[in-house]
Amino acid sequence: MNITKLIICCGLLSLFALQPVEAKRKKVVQKPVYMIGVGISLVDSMVFITDMQLVDSVTIEKKTKFLMDRQLYSFQLQHYLEAAYKSGPYVPCVFYSPKRKKMERQYLSLHKRYVQNKDLRMVLVDISQFRFKAADYVEVDE
């Protein structure tokens, strides 16, 4: 009796193992968002803050509202800072939201935090100097 159950269980498990496994595709939407970039120099205690920018056609995951390929926007800021200021390395960070008011509050909060810190020197990066570009989203199966 036990051997029969064991054979049936092994047979069922082997059938499940042969089923093709597909990665779940993420549901994404393209929409405009507001972005702020912050780059911190590890060498000379400088903090760079970009102007708040509206970036069109950014890919957002529908369910979680997460910015897809977020690291590409960080790399854009990092490459700009390394080319313009040449005193890297820089640690970039990108903040985003589809709501303008939320980004304005975030910008003021960051600005206040770094102005109050006497150990850091803050540099504002004007929109005429640096602008985020919408990255093309390519979905990769896992």
Side-chain angles (χ1 to χ4, degrees):
M1 183 79 173
N2 287 338
I3 294 176
T4 310
K5 288 181 182 178
L6 183 63
I7 292 173
I8 291 172
C9 285
C10 288
L12 288 174
L13 285 175
S14 64
L15 284 176
F16 289 127
L18 295 176
Q19 293 292 324
V21 177
E22 279 190 32
K24 263 186 149 177
R25 292 195 170 261
K26 295 179 180 171
K27 294 180 182 176
V28 295
V29 293
Q30 293 211 336
K31 62 192 314 184
V33 297
Y34 293 93
M35 280 190 187
I36 299 169
V38 176
I40 300 175
S41 173
L42 299 177
V43 176
D44 55 5
S45 301
M46 290 180 67
V47 175
F48 300 88
I49 300 179
T50 66
D51 282 341
M52 183 175 65
Q53 304 173 16
L54 178 64
V55 183
D56 285 331
S57 302
V58 172
T59 307
I60 304 282
E61 188 175 357
K62 205 171 189 176
K63 183 177 181 182
T64 62
K65 309 283 191 264
F66 190 76
L67 177 64
M68 303 306 289
D69 293 334
R70 186 176 188 162
Q71 72 276 7
L72 297 179
Y73 299 99
S74 294
F75 288 149
Q76 288 177 19
L77 179 60
Q78 182 176 7
H79 292 310
Y80 166 76
L81 293 174
E82 288 172 353
Y85 295 97
K86 299 184 184 0
S87 64
Y90 297 97
V91 178
C93 184
V94 175
F95 300 90
Y96 70 95
S97 175
K99 297 179 181 173
R100 182 179 178 91
K101 288 284 186 197
K102 182 176 180 181
M103 278 288 72
E104 286 174 349
R105 285 192 304 269
Q106 182 74 42
Y107 183 82
L108 292 174
S109 170
L110 289 168
H111 193 274
K112 182 179 175 184
R113 177 185 309 162
Y114 293 122
V115 165
Q116 288 177 350
N117 190 337
K118 301 300 179 196
D119 296 331
L120 297 173
R121 201 171 78 217
M122 187 175 68
V123 176
L124 297 175
V125 179
D126 191 59
I127 199 166
S128 64
Q129 297 171 319
F130 171 75
R131 189 161 188 82
F132 288 107
K133 294 173 190 75
D136 293 331
Y137 174 66
V138 179
E139 186 166 343
V140 179
D141 290 335
E142 297 175 2

